[in-house]
């Protein structure tokens, strides 16, 4: 490193450490001062305050008189943690579960031990407290399929409309580099128009879940101090005679809390299957291997899918284009953010999204997310650790790019065919589950991703990009030196080495028909065969949405509230409903008991 780079590294490291000390202080302050009152019994208990859990809590508090509590394993955070530009600083912090995959055979080869990190929020607000805030509906016909004909496309669109007008304030990206406009022009040169609601192919500037430049999450919609207990890890569900009657928590001491009408598990796509398995609901072999007695055999933890991609620092510019680290530390920008809700601190990172088809059809199979910064922007002080890049790759590839101005055109698979699984490896609720996504294990995925990178190459070689000095990073990736640069074999090697998760895990408690061997919950989100137990979060999505997934998760949570909780309110208890088998059959009519 040159003296200048060493100085930059030093300054960034100091700032990042200061932020991290601040985060610890906030965390411990919350841990030792919270003295929330806990009742012994509620109508509903919600596990997890993420996108789904907080949305359900918001609706319960606004539209019903039910008593409920939200139990959140993570801490509360501070308003500074909602500053959009600081999102990446939470990755790897005490507010991240810090999960990682098991060593991958075909992917993540540039990471230590071939393990990809899996950032997931462990704080009030969940993963959306550290996401990129991109709001995207995806293809609604896929959501119609999830419900197997129970709802029409119009009905699902109504719920997306509800989310967009009552749950999330949406804002067009307001601070961005010149790359955004250039990319839109470059896309047009290669035949992609601006994205609109009629067409799922094309490019557009990001639409964000922000209010006045501040990150907005579903937990910002209600008085969390009244309903959410933070730093409370749920260890286990209490199930008696095939009915969930409450949960067991271990903080501040081991106690049981009871739920009269239901327990709603919204712990996210890794922790929801973990909690079900710990409670005896899951594949028999997994439960037996850790001596958990089987209550109900269901394919919990199977069908794990994630949007994965590549492309970090693959595009270089001759001149600085981006929101640099020094822009973010600039006091004028701090003033702009706090006084006006504008400026560099409102940046979501990703400025443009694009949807393309690698096989010349009309249905997109690859998404681009354009970030004007690369992992080298902080000289290795933080971002590289959040991905677990090896020293060898860092020294031989990324650190050589310090004098260039790198950007990331993150190229990702929308509908990967590789399917993985999550399983507990012990009865101890404090241990992380074993996550094996089997990234790129299906050969089609490698092929589609390689074709996606080829479209990216075309995009970079346009006149629009050349005009601002954009070009491809032609340095061979370590481990792929034997192939001709950008040949098919080179790109295959490249995507297997530099595999990146967009942290969109789904599918681990899949929704589907009750008779199907792959369903964990039915189309009213009830765990099959267990009364009063619901899973509502990313884990019930049986397939990946065609785009960023948060809007789809919020839509699902809203449908759960309207259909499973609220619609039953107006109905009185009737005789049939006292019989749980009949209740199962006519679930649309019976109120929640
Ligand atoms: C870095 C990152 C960037 C992303 N970018 C985008 C984006 O730009 N656009 C987009 O649409 N999506 C994005 N996503 C995805 C999206 O944010 C998530 O898919 C979504 O927030 C998941 O919501 P959820 O309700 O399923 O779970 P989460 O929001 O993860 O919530 C689960 C909550 O449950 C808590 N919990 C877990 N286990 C327990 C337990 N045993 N006891 C008590 N509490 C527990 C957790 O601490 C957490 O708060 C991103 C995700 C990440 C991580
Ligand atoms: C909740 O209680 C209030 C006061 O008792 C009542 O006016 C209101 O109608 C109730 N709301 C619902 C949804 O039951
Ligand atoms: C949405 O998905 C359906 C089913 O896969 C497909 O037929 C349709 O063309 C897609 N729509 C768009 C706009 O991509
Ligand atoms: C399971 O229980 C058996 C017998 O009680 C014991 O031998 C074994 O070590 C246990 N396994 C685990 C993983 O706890
Ligand atoms: C404040 O925001 C307005 C638009 O909302 C903008 O026109 C103005 O320049 C901003 N002021 C500062 C100091 O950033
Ligand atoms: C798509 O069409 C273009 C031109 O029509 C052609 O050059 C390209 O090879 C096609 N790609 C595939 C994957 O069929």
């Amino acid at each position: 490193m040159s003296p200048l780079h060493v100085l930059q590294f030093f300054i960034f490291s100091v700032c990042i450490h200061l932020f991290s000390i601040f985060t610890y202080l906030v965390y411990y302050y919350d841990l030792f001062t919270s003295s929330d009152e806990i009742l012994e019994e509620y109508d509903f208990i919600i596990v997890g305050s993420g996108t789904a859990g907080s949305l359900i809590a918001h609706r319960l508090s606004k539209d019903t008189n039910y008593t409920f509590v939200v139990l959140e394993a993570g801490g509360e955070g501070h308003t500074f943690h909602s500053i959009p530009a600081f999102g990446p600083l939470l990755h790897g912090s005490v507010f991240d579960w810090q999960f990682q995959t098991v060593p991958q055979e075909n992917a993540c080869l540039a990471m230590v031990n071939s393990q990809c990190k899996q950032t997931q929020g462990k704080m009030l607000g969940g993963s959306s407290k550290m996401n990129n805030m991109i709001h995207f509906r995806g293809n609604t016909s896929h959501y119609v399929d999830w419900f197997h004909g129970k709802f029409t496309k119009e009905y699902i669109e109504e719920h997306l409309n509800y989310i967009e007008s009552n749950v999330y304030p949406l804002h067009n990206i307001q601070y961005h580099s010149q790359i955004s406009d250039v990319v839109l022009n470059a896309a047009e040169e290669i035949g992609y128009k601006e994205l609109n609601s009629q067409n799922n192919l094309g490019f557009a500037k990001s639409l964000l879940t922000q209010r006045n430049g501040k990150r907005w999450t579903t937990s910002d919609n209600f008085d969390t101090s009244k309903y959410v207990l933070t730093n409370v890890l749920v260890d286990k569900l209490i199930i008696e005679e095939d009915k969930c009657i409450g949960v067991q928590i271990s903080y501040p001491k081991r106690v049981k809390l009871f739920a009269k009408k239901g327990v709603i598990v919204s712990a996210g796509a890794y922790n929801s299957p973990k909690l079900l398995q710990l409670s005896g609901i899951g594949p028999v072999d997994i439960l037996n291997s850790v001596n958990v007695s089987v209550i109900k055999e269901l394919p919990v933890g199977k069908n794990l899918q994630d949007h994965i991609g590549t492309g970090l620092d693959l595009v270089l510019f001759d001149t600085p284009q981006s929101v640099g680290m020094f822009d973010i530390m600039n006091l004028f920008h701090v003033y702009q953010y706090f006084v006006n809700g504008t400026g560099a601190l409102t940046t979501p990172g990703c400025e443009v999204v694009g949807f393309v088809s690698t096989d010349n059809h009309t249905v997109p199979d690859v998404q681009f997310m354009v970030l004007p910064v690369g992992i080298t922007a902080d000289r290795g002080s933080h971002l590289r650790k959040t991905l677990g890049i090896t020293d060898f790759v860092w020294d031989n590839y990324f650190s050589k790019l310090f004098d260039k101005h790198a950007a990331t055109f993150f190229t990702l698979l929308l509908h990967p065919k590789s399917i993985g699984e999550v399983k507990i490896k012990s009865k101890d609720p404090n241990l992380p589950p074993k996550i094996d996504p089997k990234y790129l294990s299906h050969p089609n995925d490698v092929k589609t991703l390689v074709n996606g990178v080829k479209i990216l190459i075309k995009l970079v070689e346009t006149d629009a990009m050349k005009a601002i000095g954009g070009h491809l990073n032609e340095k061979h990736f370590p481990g792929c030196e034997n192939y001709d640069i950008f040949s098919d074999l080179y790109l295959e090697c490249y995507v297997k080495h530099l595999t990146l998760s967009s942290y969109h895990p789904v599918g681990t408690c899949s929704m589907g028909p009750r008779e199907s061997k792959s369903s964990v919950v039915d189309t009213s989100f009830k765990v099959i065969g267990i009364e009063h137990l619901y899973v509502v979060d990313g884990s019930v999505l049986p397939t990946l949405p065609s785009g960023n997934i948060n809007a789809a998760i919020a839509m699902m949570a809203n449908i759960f509230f309207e259909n499973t909780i609220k619609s039953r309110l107006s109905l009185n208890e009737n005789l049939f409903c006292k019989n749980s088998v009949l209740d199962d059959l006519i679930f649309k009519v019976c109120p929640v008991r």
Side-chain angles (χ1 to χ4, degrees):
M1 281 204 278
S2 72
L4 175 66
H5 296 150
V6 173
L7 179 68
Q8 289 173 339
F9 175 83
F10 179 74
I11 296 174
F12 296 148
S13 296
V14 168
C15 293
I16 285 158
H17 281 109
L18 285 175
F19 188 84
S20 149
I21 291 169
F22 167 75
T23 300
Y24 271 113
L25 288 176
V26 169
Y27 172 73
Y28 284 111
Y29 180 80
D30 182 34
L31 199 58
F32 294 118
T33 54
S34 53
S35 57
D36 305 286
E37 206 184 307
I38 306 186
L39 302 182
E40 207 183 312
E41 189 179 62
Y42 298 86
D43 289 325
F44 289 102
I45 292 175
I46 302 175
V47 184
S49 68
T51 299
S54 285
L55 189 147
I56 298 163
H58 165 215
R59 302 257 4 228
L60 275 169
S61 70
K62 190 167 68 97
D63 298 344
T64 77
N65 287 329
Y66 286 135
T67 59
F68 71 94
V69 67
V70 183
L71 305 174
E72 168 55 54
E76 213 177 295
H78 184 275
T79 36
F80 285 179
H81 291 125
S82 291
I83 299 176
F86 290 177
L89 296 180
L90 292 173
H91 298 193
S93 74
V94 278
F95 292 134
D96 177 357
W97 285 90
Q98 303 184 17
F99 291 148
Q100 55 182 349
T101 67
V102 300
Q104 297 293 287
E105 258 171 59
N106 286 298
C108 311
L109 305 180
M111 318 302 172
V112 175
N113 211 10
S114 304
Q115 292 177 287
C116 269
K117 302 272 186 193
Q118 289 294 314
T119 296
Q120 292 287 295
K122 186 182 186 182
M123 66 191 298
L124 180 57
S127 297
S128 60
K129 271 281 156 79
M130 55 194 68
N131 72 7
N132 295 89
M133 296 163 284
I134 309 288
H135 178 82
F136 195 75
R137 280 189 171 201
N139 181 335
T140 40
S141 16
H142 298 165
Y143 313 155
V144 176
D145 294 344
W146 294 347
F147 287 100
H148 295 266
K150 186 172 175 183
F151 301 125
T152 61
K153 194 167 171 177
E154 289 66 37
Y155 181 83
I156 286 176
E157 277 163 1
E158 257 171 51
H159 282 273
L160 286 162
N161 292 341
Y162 182 93
I163 300 295
E164 290 171 356
S165 32
N166 299 285
V167 175
Y168 280 119
L170 297 176
H171 213 296
N172 288 315
I173 184 168
Q174 43 173 331
Y175 184 92
H176 54 76
S177 67
Q178 65 161 332
I179 293 180
S180 330
D181 291 299
V182 171
V183 168
L184 295 185
N185 293 334
E188 204 157 344
E189 266 183 61
I190 62 165
Y192 286 100
K193 297 254 177 312
E194 190 146 352
L195 202 60
N196 62 43
S197 53
Q198 308 312 315
N199 183 359
N200 273 0
L201 288 179
F203 284 67
K205 286 187 193 165
S206 303
L207 178 64
L208 306 176
T209 49
Q210 285 191 348
R211 174 170 288 162
N212 297 329
K214 176 182 177 275
R215 171 189 295 279
W216 198 265
T217 65
T218 52
S219 59
D220 292 317
N221 285 324
F222 68 109
D223 181 2
T224 52
S225 65
K226 259 168 89 176
Y227 301 106
V228 185
L229 303 179
T230 47
N231 299 303
V232 174
L233 178 78
V234 174
D235 292 344
K236 209 176 155 183
L237 305 165
I238 307 168
I239 298 167
E240 274 179 10
E241 291 167 9
D242 292 339
K243 178 164 152 187
C244 185
I245 58 167
V247 301
Q248 179 183 301
I249 61 175
S250 58
Y251 182 85
K253 55 183 188 297
R254 191 170 248 213
V255 287
K256 289 179 176 176
L257 303 183
F258 296 96
K260 275 186 285 196
K261 296 187 191 301
V263 172
I264 301 160
V265 179
S266 300
Y270 294 132
N271 281 306
S272 289
K274 172 182 152 184
L275 184 58
L276 262 56
Q277 290 176 1
L278 284 172
S279 313
I281 306 170
V284 169
D285 56 339
I286 294 175
L287 303 183
N288 283 345
S289 71
V290 291
N291 283 350
V292 168
S293 47
V294 180
I295 288 181
K296 174 81 190 166
E297 179 174 12
L298 286 174
V300 174
K302 306 280 182 193
N303 194 37
L304 170 63
Q305 297 159 67
D306 188 9
H307 281 146
I308 54 141
T310 193
L312 205 54
D313 293 26
L314 189 57
V315 180
L316 303 177
F317 291 91
D318 302 329
T319 50
Q321 299 293 327
S322 65
V323 192
M325 291 288 281
F326 287 108
D327 290 319
I328 287 174
M329 291 182 227
N330 174 324
L331 280 182
F332 174 65
H333 284 141
V334 174
Y335 163 82
Q336 266 190 320
Y337 178 80
F338 285 103
V339 175
N340 212 4
T342 56
L345 294 182
T346 66
T347 180
C350 169
E351 299 187 345
V352 169
V353 292
F355 294 85
V356 300
S357 166
T358 59
D359 56 8
N360 286 352
H361 288 114
T362 49
V363 180
D365 56 359
V366 163
Q367 178 179 358
F368 293 118
M369 291 176 71
V370 179
L371 293 82
V373 285
I375 192 187
T376 40
D378 71 356
R379 303 290 178 249
S381 50
H382 175 69
L383 297 174
R384 104 171 241 209
K385 292 177 205 152
T386 64
L387 293 178
I389 304 275
T390 63
D391 289 346
F392 180 75
V393 168
W394 185 260
D395 295 341
N396 291 292
Y397 188 77
F398 292 109
S399 72
K400 307 275 194 246
L401 306 173
F402 285 175
D403 290 321
K404 315 271 182 182
H405 304 281
T408 296
F409 283 51
F410 185 23
T411 308
L412 59 98
L413 287 175
L414 281 172
H415 303 292
K417 294 196 159 71
S418 309
I419 291 191
E421 74 174 319
V422 181
K423 55 180 165 193
I424 50 172
K425 43 190 183 188
S426 148
K427 267 179 152 164
D428 182 353
N430 294 302
L431 293 180
K434 189 170 157 190
I435 299 170
D436 186 3
K438 302 193 168 71
Y439 287 147
L440 300 180
S441 58
H442 195 294
N444 277 29
D445 288 353
V446 177
K447 202 171 144 224
T448 308
L449 197 51
V450 164
N451 287 334
V453 178
K454 287 185 183 168
I455 297 180
L456 162 63
I457 293 175
K458 272 198 205 156
L459 186 76
V460 178
E461 288 174 343
T462 50
D463 294 337
M465 286 286 286
K466 280 191 190 136
I468 59 163
H471 55 94
L472 291 165
N473 175 1
E474 297 203 346
K475 183 165 179 46
H476 273 88
F477 201 84
C480 306
E481 293 89 346
N482 292 338
Y483 305 108
D484 288 340
I485 193 88
F486 304 140
S487 62
D488 281 22
L489 287 176
Y490 175 81
L491 290 176
E492 277 178 26
C493 177
Y494 176 79
V495 303
K496 288 181 181 176
H497 278 76
L498 193 55
T499 321
L500 308 169
S501 169
S502 54
Y503 312 120
H504 292 175
V506 303
T508 49
C509 299
S510 282
M511 173 178 281
R514 285 176 201 190
E515 56 285 356
S516 161
K517 278 202 167 68
S518 51
S519 317
V520 172
V521 300
D522 64 18
T523 51
S524 44
F525 299 84
K526 193 181 77 67
V527 173
I528 294 166
I530 308 285
E531 299 313 301
H532 288 199
L533 181 59
Y534 305 91
V535 181
V536 191
D537 60 19
S539 59
V540 301
L541 277 46
T543 56
L544 276 162
S546 199
N548 309 69
I549 69 175
N550 194 58
I553 295 174
M555 174 276 290
M556 293 294 270
N558 205 53
I559 289 189
F560 166 75
F561 175 79
E562 287 283 343
N563 251 276
T564 306
I565 298 185
K566 196 176 160 202
S567 70
R568 298 177 187 200
L569 266 181
S570 51
L571 300 160
N572 291 318
E573 293 248 0
N574 71 46
L575 262 180
F576 291 120
C577 299
K578 302 243 188 283
N579 177 315
S580 81
V581 177
L582 280 175
D583 188 2
D584 249 21
L585 291 171
I586 51 173
F587 59 90
K588 278 187 186 161
V589 194
C590 294
V592 182
R593 277 172 290 128

